[in-house]
Amino acid sequence: MVKIRQAIAPAVGSLLLGGCAVYVPTVPSTPLLTQKQVAITGGLRGVNSLELDAAWAPTSHLLLTAESALQGSTTETTTSNVTTTYHDAHRQLGLGVGYYRAPSVRSAWYWAAVGGLGFASVQLHSLDIGVLYILPVPIISGLYEARYLRYYGQLYAARPLGGVVTAGASVRGTLVDYQQLAYEGQPFTPTNRVFIEPTLFVRVGHGVVQGQGTLGLSLPTAGNPSQPYNSQTAPVSTLVGVGVVFRPDLLGRGGK
C-alpha cells in the first residue's frame, strides 16, 4: 500500500503542478496584416488561459499590437471536514510596435519584427500533493504574489502553403523585470529573468473569420534547481494555443 502511494503521488503531482508558475508566457501574437488592415484574435492557451489580441497596420510597414491574457484556477482543500477554496489569477496586458514587409511578386513571405512592453499581476497558491489512503489530495502550502514588467522582442515569418492554409514560425525573447516577488509575504530573488520562446503557427482561411493554431515552448536561459523557488521563476512551459481571428476590415468585401 505504501509503495502504491509513493508511486501515484509524484506522478499526479507532476501533472497538477505543470504550468503553475509565477511567470506565465502568452502565445506570441503573429498578425499577417498589410496597410489599413485590422485583426482581433481570441483563443485559449492550454485549458485555463484566455487570451485576446488586437493588431492594426495604419501604414505600409508599421504594425501596432495589443495583447491581454487571463489565467485563473480554483483549488479546494478539506481539513477536519472544513473545505477551503483558493482562487488564483494571472492577469497580463501588453502593447507593441513593429515593422513588417508584406508579400510581393518577388517573394511570398511575410516578415515582421515587433518589440513591446507588458505588465502582469500574479496571485498563486503553491500546490503540493499529499496522499489519503491511495488517493492523492491537494495541499496548499503558501501564497506567491508578484507584479512584473515584461520586455520582449519578436521576429516571425509566414507564407502560404496552398489553398487556405498559411504557416509560419516565430521566436520571441522576453526579459522579466519583477516589481514585486514574494512568498508568504517574504521577498525572494528569481533564478531566471530571460526566456527564449520559439513557436510554429498555422492560419486557416482568408475571410472575415479565420482559424489559428500555435505550438511552441518557453525556455529559461538560466536556473538553479537547488533553489526552492526555481520552478516558479524558471519554468519550462508549453505554448499550445487555438484561436479565432476576426478581420473586421474585410466585412462587406466578400472576404477578399
Side-chain angles (χ1 to χ4, degrees):
M1 184 72 69
V2 173
K3 290 183 178 180
I4 294 176
R5 296 178 191 177
Q6 291 174 342
I8 291 178
V12 177
S14 176
L15 291 174
L16 293 178
L17 289 172
C20 296
V22 171
Y23 171 70
V24 174
T26 59
V27 172
S29 177
T30 53
L32 305 177
L33 303 178
T34 57
Q35 186 172 354
K36 297 183 180 179
Q37 293 183 344
V38 177
I40 300 171
T41 304
L44 290 173
R45 174 182 169 263
V47 296
N48 65 344
S49 184
L50 177 64
E51 301 190 359
L52 182 63
D53 302 339
W56 176 39
T59 66
S60 60
H61 305 304
L62 177 62
L63 189 63
L64 303 178
T65 65
E67 61 177 37
S68 61
L70 174 62
Q71 177 173 299
S73 62
T74 300
T75 304
E76 291 186 349
T77 63
T78 301
T79 304
S80 300
N81 294 321
V82 176
T83 299
T84 303
T85 302
Y86 300 88
H87 299 284
D88 296 339
H90 196 123
R91 303 176 179 89
Q92 297 195 59
L93 179 65
L95 297 172
V97 59
Y99 170 89
Y100 72 88
R101 192 178 72 184
S104 66
V105 294
R106 299 182 59 184
S107 173
W109 286 92
Y110 183 101
W111 299 89
V114 179
L117 170 66
F119 172 80
S121 64
V122 185
Q123 179 174 307
L124 173 68
H125 291 87
S126 178
L127 179 63
D128 296 329
I129 299 298
V131 176
L132 180 63
Y133 300 105
I134 65 171
L135 299 177
V137 295
I139 299 174
I140 300 298
S141 60
L143 173 64
Y144 289 93
E145 295 175 289
R147 290 182 296 108
Y148 61 81
L149 297 176
R150 179 171 60 90
Y151 303 93
Y152 65 90
Q154 177 187 353
L155 297 172
Y156 66 94
R159 65 165 297 160
L161 293 184
V164 296
V165 178
T166 300
S170 167
V171 61
R172 181 176 65 187
T174 300
L175 170 64
V176 181
D177 181 14
Y178 288 99
Q179 312 297 297
Q180 174 194 8
L181 182 60
Y183 177 73
E184 287 295 287
Q186 298 299 312
F188 67 91
T189 301
T191 58
N192 178 69
R193 295 178 184 270
V194 178
F195 295 83
I196 302 298
E197 296 161 344
T199 56
L200 301 174
F201 63 92
V202 176
R203 189 79 44 82
V204 180
H206 298 302
V208 175
V209 178
Q210 305 169 12
Q212 177 174 285
T214 304
L215 176 63
L217 291 171
S218 174
L219 305 169
T221 59
N224 187 346
S226 66
Q227 295 298 314
Y229 307 119
N230 184 71
S231 63
Q232 297 297 328
T233 57
V236 175
S237 306
T238 56
L239 291 169
V240 180
V242 293
V244 175
V245 181
F246 175 55
R247 289 286 307 278
D249 59 285
L250 296 180
L251 287 170
R253 297 167 54 184
K256 298 181 180 179

